[in-house]
Amino acid sequence: MKIASVIVDVPTMQTDRAFDYSIPHAWQGKILPGMRVIVPFGPRKVQGFVIGIKDKSEAKKLKDLVRPMDLTPVLNEDLLTMADWLTKQTLCFKISALQVMLPAAMKAKYEKKIILNPVKRDFLDEEAASLFINKDEVSWKDAEEAGLLPLLQKEIKSGNLDVFYSVKSKGRKKTVQKFYPAVQREKMKEEIDALPANAEKQKAVLRYFISLNSNEGITTKEAADSAGASLAVLKSLADKGLLIKKQEEIYRNPFSHKTFQKTSPLPLTEEQEGAIAPILEAIEQKKHETFLLYGVTGSGKTEVYLQSIQQVYEQGKEAIVLVPEISLTPQMVNRFKGRFGNDVAVLHSGLSAGEKYDEWRKIQRKEVKVVVGARSAIFAPFENLGIIIIDEEHEASYKQEENPRYHARDVAIYRAKQYHCPVILGSATPSMETFARAQKGVYKQLTLSKRMNAGELPSVSIVDMREELRSGNRSMFSEELFEKLQDRLHKGEQTVLFLNRRGHSSFIMCRDCGYVAQCPQCDISLTYHRFSNSMKCHYCGYETGVPETCPECDSEHIRYFGTGTQKVEEELAKLLPEARVIRMDVDTTSRKGSHERLLDSFGEGQADILLGTQMIAKGLDFPNITLVGVLSADTMLHLPDFRSAEKTFQLLTQVSGRAGRHELPGEVVIQTYTPEHYSIELAGSQDYDAFYHKEMIMRKMGSYPPFYYLSLITISHEDLLKVVGAAEKITKFLQSRLSPQSIVLGPAASPIPRINNRYRYQCLIKYKREPELPSILKTVLEHSQQQKASEGLTISIDVNPYMMM
DNA sequence: AGCACGCCGACT
DNA sequence: GTCGGCGTGCTC
């Protein structure tokens, strides 16, 4: 007898292992690893993943599995292997590693129901019977809400009612009714004459079928369009045996309203030729290698991607292209669909769960060769991968901030090793980690230093807002920016105003000299805490009072910071009432498609100014934009995050790239209170290399990546004392187990010290080599799970964190 | 995570 | 003597 090893959908420490089930005869040989199954688990039924088939089991008694949920495996062998790796790498539950690889629509939907035993209907209590008048099941939840549980439970006990657990996949396949011809054309012609004279519509339908050159079926909509026939007409033809009704599965097509202009490979520049050659060679030799494609904005990285994919495509292999969520714009999709047509699937958060499911199935059925998508597309179920491309490699959105806390770049490299294929990491401003690896030769660096159409980089001017204040300008627009804004309005050219919302009110700064309170031990900005009216460091726990006057210049203009897009919009309305402004932020783009609509109308020239946050930093490519204004370049700089300088530099460089991409020359105005900060200065001169060198020195001094790896442990509980106690215990344990070269910081309160009434403490480990760390961290998890005193204690571990909160 | 089992206090 | 509170431990 065959036995299936199953990982059940119960994400807890105690159930984080395989459970064995015997396979009923009917399913023998049909249950394969990688399939989803429904299994009994205790008194209920749950979804599970088959991870193996075997002949023997250690377990004393086995239950039969109920049934498979799939006809073919939804996870292939390589993905199963990778799930194991992911579990160890990120210290997540096995089930989480499996679930993350599938679209959300394939998650299980559980329902507990009370069903009527039909024979016992007459035995029911009157009130209970009234619930089952024209149905034989009631949802448990509904019964509970109606306060009918006690009554029904009595009936359950006496056997008149049964409890039933249903497990379903959340997503549904979309189907459509189609009618096919059931007889030959000749026969149809005869039938037309045989039909009664008043059966006009039926005759029309038959004539339409005869006119078709294939045996294709038609939908009711097609019938209406071509023959003016309704469903009733088709049905009566079906009743006569002339047509056959079929329920057919179709894909929801999010791009149905679009046609794609077919494009062909563009001639490459010499630089591009040089960059693509080693990639093509790796593809030819079926060799795994990671490339850093380091190319300034507009240097033609995408064409290099496209032609690399072309090569893979010609070998009959598949490609995954990752793009950050916010730049997964229609423009981007067009470029890939234009080149590879219907062989492209697109996966991003703008699609509904059903649409994502459909795109995923296209991949699974090998109906496409190329996937363009956000982070999770890295798990696309291809089996013959030829290349993985990660565009804008430095983007933080490639790191998942919930379990499993993976980084798409790491997963990409793992998968590429499995398939002996290359990875391309593309960026104009690579992350420190990636660039350092390229410098060391771990990754192969390919450089594109010239803009394609030899376009000039925009001229950047940095405005010192402290000066503005001194000269009496208290507005959020500097003289220079305001003048240029007016100028563009007169000329009918467009402006993009960029505002960073992050870092809102969280740091204290002197408006006169730009002083920002820093932690003396960590070189990290202190965070202002309104509640306790104090300044804190979230890395080491240092705390100090809020200064009344600036410690540097004694000014009294020291205060906490932050402005929102709405406020800017109001001020614009006051200062430039004739300007037409489009505001783009989370509030105005929450509805589906609104992002695209706003951008389209800006592109069509329906507004003079586009005002927005993060989301307008990328992909925006309109010829009429000649001015980019960054209202406050430093908001991000003072976040309690060692990557803040890097992020600031990347963002400013990115935003600057929006101006003057075509004939008209572009200008950029960056407003800041810290013009001397290297990230701002060097973003102004667009000098990545200088920034890299400066930032590496800072990272080295602070023992941060890429010199050290990080792992962040966050402990939370309702009771503050328990959190502190547990955090201290964990810190001590780590210190005792880790090598002396490793640094354990904390415990200190998390940047957000309380969420949902739970206190949060964290502990940061910095290390260079700690091969035992995963198992040590696993011990931490298991240990704290066992301790009875620790009920309610949550410990989350983030290996290589991106968000330090 | 659920859910049953089981052992104690408040009631018919 | 029973109902139901939630602490404890298991789920192939």
Side-chain angles (χ1 to χ4, degrees):
Chain A
M1 188 176 62
K2 289 286 183 186
I3 291 159
S5 263
V6 176
I7 304 291
V8 292
D9 179 20
V10 184
T12 63
M13 192 119 254
Q14 298 147 72
T15 52
D16 189 32
R17 61 193 171 86
F19 287 83
D20 292 342
Y21 291 88
S22 43
I23 301 173
H25 282 291
W27 304 112
Q28 289 279 349
K30 288 180 184 149
I31 303 276
L32 301 167
M35 278 186 182
R36 296 177 303 159
V37 286
I38 295 172
V39 292
F41 198 64
R44 60 209 169 112
K45 277 184 286 184
V46 296
Q47 188 188 62
F49 287 84
V50 178
I51 55 159
I53 302 291
K54 51 189 188 178
D55 297 305
K56 273 205 193 86
S57 173
E58 307 285 286
K60 283 187 200 80
K61 50 184 178 205
L62 295 184
K63 285 186 189 171
D64 275 1
L65 57 79
V66 179
R67 62 183 167 86
M69 293 177 84
D70 304 297
L71 295 172
T72 55
V74 290
L75 295 172
N76 60 43
E77 290 283 335
D78 293 320
L79 287 172
L80 285 176
T81 311
M82 191 162 77
D84 255 356
W85 167 82
L86 197 60
T87 302
K88 292 200 183 86
Q89 200 72 15
T90 66
L91 296 150
C92 68
F93 298 126
K94 293 183 172 67
I95 187 67
S96 316
L98 294 165
Q99 305 250 56
V100 77
M101 301 187 174
L102 297 174
M106 292 174 79
K107 263 195 152 176
K109 203 174 91 189
Y110 298 104
E111 209 182 345
K112 189 176 175 181
K113 288 187 278 197
I114 300 163
I115 55 171
L116 175 67
N117 185 338
V119 192
K120 304 276 181 72
R121 187 182 279 270
D122 299 335
F123 295 92
L124 280 186
D125 178 281
E126 216 173 296
E127 200 183 345
S130 68
L131 286 170
F132 293 93
I133 286 171
N134 41 25
K135 54 186 172 184
D136 44 21
E137 60 176 56
V138 170
S139 114
W140 182 280
K141 223 174 114 214
D142 291 351
E144 196 170 27
E145 275 160 19
L148 292 164
L149 269 192
L151 173 77
L152 294 176
Q153 268 171 324
K154 223 173 276 168
E155 300 282 4
I156 291 163
K157 248 188 195 153
S158 46
N160 299 333
L161 295 174
D162 294 311
V163 179
F164 183 80
Y165 296 84
S166 100
V167 184
K168 269 191 236 151
S169 214
K170 257 188 202 153
R172 282 287 196 84
K173 287 167 190 155
K174 192 174 174 182
T175 59
V176 67
Q177 230 175 59
K178 270 194 167 184
F179 289 86
Y180 283 82
V183 293
Q184 295 298 317
R185 280 201 180 71
E186 295 308 312
K187 171 88 173 137
M188 266 194 232
K189 280 178 192 154
E190 289 168 27
E191 289 296 333
I192 291 175
D193 300 332
L195 281 170
N198 60 358
E200 274 300 328
K201 293 285 165 70
Q202 295 188 35
K203 288 181 184 175
V205 171
L206 290 181
R207 267 185 229 113
Y208 179 66
F209 269 110
I210 292 165
S211 75
L212 285 177
N213 281 326
S214 64
N215 277 341
E216 264 302 290
I218 62 167
T219 62
T220 47
K221 192 176 174 302
E222 283 162 355
D225 291 346
S226 56
S230 64
L231 181 64
V233 176
L234 292 167
K235 275 199 170 140
S236 51
L237 282 167
D239 288 342
K240 294 193 178 81
L242 297 173
L243 297 180
I244 295 174
K245 191 180 96 180
K246 279 188 190 165
Q247 205 67 25
E248 229 171 73
E249 191 184 312
I250 57 157
Y251 292 129
R252 282 154 271 223
N253 186 358
F255 301 100
S256 58
H257 58 291
K258 279 230 169 86
T259 50
F260 295 95
Q261 193 78 48
K262 187 86 189 151
T263 64
S264 39
L266 305 170
L268 296 179
T269 64
E270 208 172 300
E271 243 190 354
Q272 284 174 318
E273 289 282 3
I276 204 171
I279 300 171
L280 298 182
E281 198 185 313
I283 296 169
E284 272 314 305
Q285 296 179 358
K286 301 177 176 50
K287 191 175 81 182
H288 166 66
E289 193 164 3
T290 303
F291 296 96
L292 165 61
L293 181 59
Y294 167 47
V296 296
T297 33
S299 62
K301 290 192 288 290
T302 311
E303 191 58 35
V304 173
Y305 301 155
L306 287 167
Q307 297 196 18
S308 303
I309 296 170
Q310 187 74 42
Q311 180 89 354
V312 164
Y313 188 78
E314 279 161 16
Q315 285 188 355
K317 292 190 182 175
E318 299 125 359
I320 296 177
V321 184
L322 297 192
V323 172
E325 192 69 72
I326 40 179
S327 55
L328 198 49
T329 55
Q331 293 173 350
M332 192 77 191
V333 172
N334 284 352
R335 293 203 63 178
F336 286 88
K337 287 235 175 191
R339 195 66 61 83
F340 301 106
N342 284 332
D343 279 330
V344 180
V346 178
L347 286 168
H348 69 98
S349 68
L351 303 180
S352 71
E355 287 168 340
K356 272 192 223 164
Y357 179 39
D358 287 356
E359 292 294 299
W360 183 89
R361 278 188 299 144
K362 285 187 200 164
I363 305 165
Q364 206 221 358
R365 294 178 168 189
K366 309 278 177 302
E367 292 170 7
V368 293
K369 289 279 182 192
V370 180
V371 171
V372 182
R375 184 179 59 226
S376 63
I378 195 59
F379 298 113
F382 282 136
E383 294 184 309
N384 198 10
L385 262 178
I387 196 165
I388 301 177
I389 293 164
I390 305 189
D391 189 34
E392 311 276 2
E393 164 282 333
H394 59 275
E395 271 299 308
S397 65
Y398 287 127
K399 174 68 196 287
Q400 175 145 67
E401 289 299 343
E402 60 204 57
N403 275 327
R405 297 170 179 271
Y406 68 93
H407 196 296
R409 195 200 294 135
D410 302 329
V411 179
I413 293 172
Y414 180 92
R415 280 202 92 177
K417 279 182 184 158
Q418 278 185 329
Y419 291 92
H420 310 288
C421 76
V423 173
I424 309 179
L425 307 175
S427 178
T429 52
S431 64
M432 291 293 121
E433 287 92 331
T434 297
F435 204 76
R437 270 175 210 158
Q439 296 291 299
K440 274 176 74 181
V442 182
Y443 302 159
K444 190 174 175 68
Q445 185 175 325
L446 311 167
T447 308
L448 297 176
S449 56
K450 298 189 201 78
R451 280 194 150 185
M452 285 285 287
N453 27 22
E456 292 281 309
L457 283 169
S459 66
V460 180
S461 86
I462 295 173
V463 179
D464 186 347
M465 291 303 276
R466 295 169 303 187
E467 290 290 338
E468 295 288 319
L469 192 68
R470 260 176 237 136
S471 56
N473 178 8
R474 295 185 155 266
S475 122
M476 51 182 84
F477 302 103
S478 60
E479 287 284 328
E480 184 179 347
L481 180 57
F482 189 67
E483 273 167 24
K484 288 190 171 150
L485 261 173
Q486 282 180 312
D487 173 60
R488 300 307 131 118
L489 268 181
H490 290 146
K491 287 199 273 191
E493 293 171 8
Q494 290 178 305
T495 300
V496 169
L497 283 182
F498 182 80
L499 181 79
N500 216 340
R501 261 169 41 110
R502 292 195 57 202
H504 190 81
S505 297
S506 61
F507 67 102
I508 290 218
M509 183 166 79
C510 171
R511 299 253 289 176
D512 281 323
C513 74
Y515 164 86
V516 173
Q518 300 267 311
C519 172
Q521 294 163 54
C522 305
D523 282 334
I524 290 280
S525 314
L526 292 174
T527 304
Y528 171 67
H529 287 251
R530 193 183 306 218
F531 187 70
S532 56
N533 198 36
S534 64
M535 312 287 302
K536 285 182 190 166
C537 170
H538 297 133
Y539 284 67
C540 69
Y542 175 84
E543 184 168 351
T544 180
V546 181
E548 300 268 302
T549 56
C550 173
E552 298 275 306
C553 71
D554 276 341
S555 159
E556 284 171 5
H557 292 136
I558 185 159
R559 61 181 198 94
Y560 47 92
F561 244 67
T563 26
T565 41
Q566 271 174 346
K567 228 174 137 187
V568 181
E569 195 179 22
E570 284 164 23
E571 187 144 340
L572 274 174
K574 246 186 273 165
L575 297 172
L576 296 167
E578 72 277 23
R580 295 162 303 163
V581 180
I582 290 182
R583 176 164 67 97
M584 268 182 83
D585 56 26
V586 260
D587 301 331
T588 62
T589 56
S590 50
R591 267 187 307 129
K592 199 181 162 186
S594 51
H595 188 267
E596 195 182 339
R597 248 197 319 283
L598 289 175
L599 279 184
D600 282 350
S601 62
F602 186 68
E604 288 159 14
Q606 291 173 28
D608 309 296
I609 299 171
L610 178 65
L611 164 67
T613 54
Q614 305 277 34
M615 57 181 73
I616 61 169
K618 287 193 185 62
L620 206 64
D621 188 0
F622 299 122
N624 207 27
I625 301 174
T626 57
L627 176 64
V628 168
V630 180
L631 292 175
S632 48
D634 12 34
T635 38
M636 215 200 283
L637 203 52
H638 307 299
L639 285 175
D641 186 332
F642 69 92
R643 274 185 248 261
S644 60
E646 180 184 339
K647 286 185 184 157
T648 300
F649 179 85
Q650 285 163 345
L651 198 69
L652 292 180
T653 309
Q654 202 84 242
V655 180
S656 306
R658 297 308 113 214
R661 290 173 71 96
H662 297 262
E663 287 82 35
L664 298 167
E667 278 187 296
V668 178
V669 178
I670 296 175
Q671 302 189 157
T672 172
Y673 288 89
T674 45
E676 69 283 354
H677 193 282
Y678 62 96
S679 64
I680 291 172
E681 217 171 79
L682 295 171
S685 54
Q686 324 227 351
D687 189 345
Y688 176 83
D689 293 302
F691 174 78
Y692 170 75
H693 285 113
K694 175 76 186 165
E695 179 67 7
M696 283 298 269
I697 294 168
M698 306 302 281
R699 298 289 179 89
K700 184 157 198 174
M701 280 173 15
S703 308
Y704 282 114
F707 295 96
Y708 279 79
Y709 293 106
L710 301 183
S711 280
L712 182 71
I713 304 176
T714 307
I715 301 113
S716 74
H717 193 276
E718 286 181 357
D719 182 349
L720 180 61
L721 288 176
K722 277 191 179 148
V723 180
V724 178
E728 274 168 359
K729 247 186 172 167
I730 290 168
T731 311
K732 286 219 178 73
F733 175 76
L734 288 170
Q735 271 158 348
S736 74
R737 296 289 294 273
L738 295 175
S739 68
Q741 290 88 330
S742 299
I743 304 162
V744 182
L745 290 182
S750 289
I752 308 167
R754 194 169 61 147
I755 293 178
N756 283 333
N757 274 327
R758 294 176 69 86
Y759 289 92
R760 305 164 78 240
Y761 260 67
Q762 63 184 31
C763 164
L764 185 67
I765 314 166
K766 298 178 175 177
Y767 55 100
K768 274 185 192 283
R769 227 188 84 81
E770 208 62 79
E772 291 307 308
L773 189 64
S775 74
I776 295 172
L777 291 176
K778 192 128 199 264
T779 321
V780 169
L781 283 175
E782 281 163 0
H783 228 79
S784 33
Q785 187 74 33
Q786 282 163 15
Q787 283 171 355
K788 293 196 180 88
S790 71
E791 6 155 340
L793 198 72
T794 315
I795 296 178
S796 92
I797 297 180
D798 194 346
V799 180
N800 303 326
Y802 265 66
M803 276 230 303
M804 307 304 282
M805 312 222 184

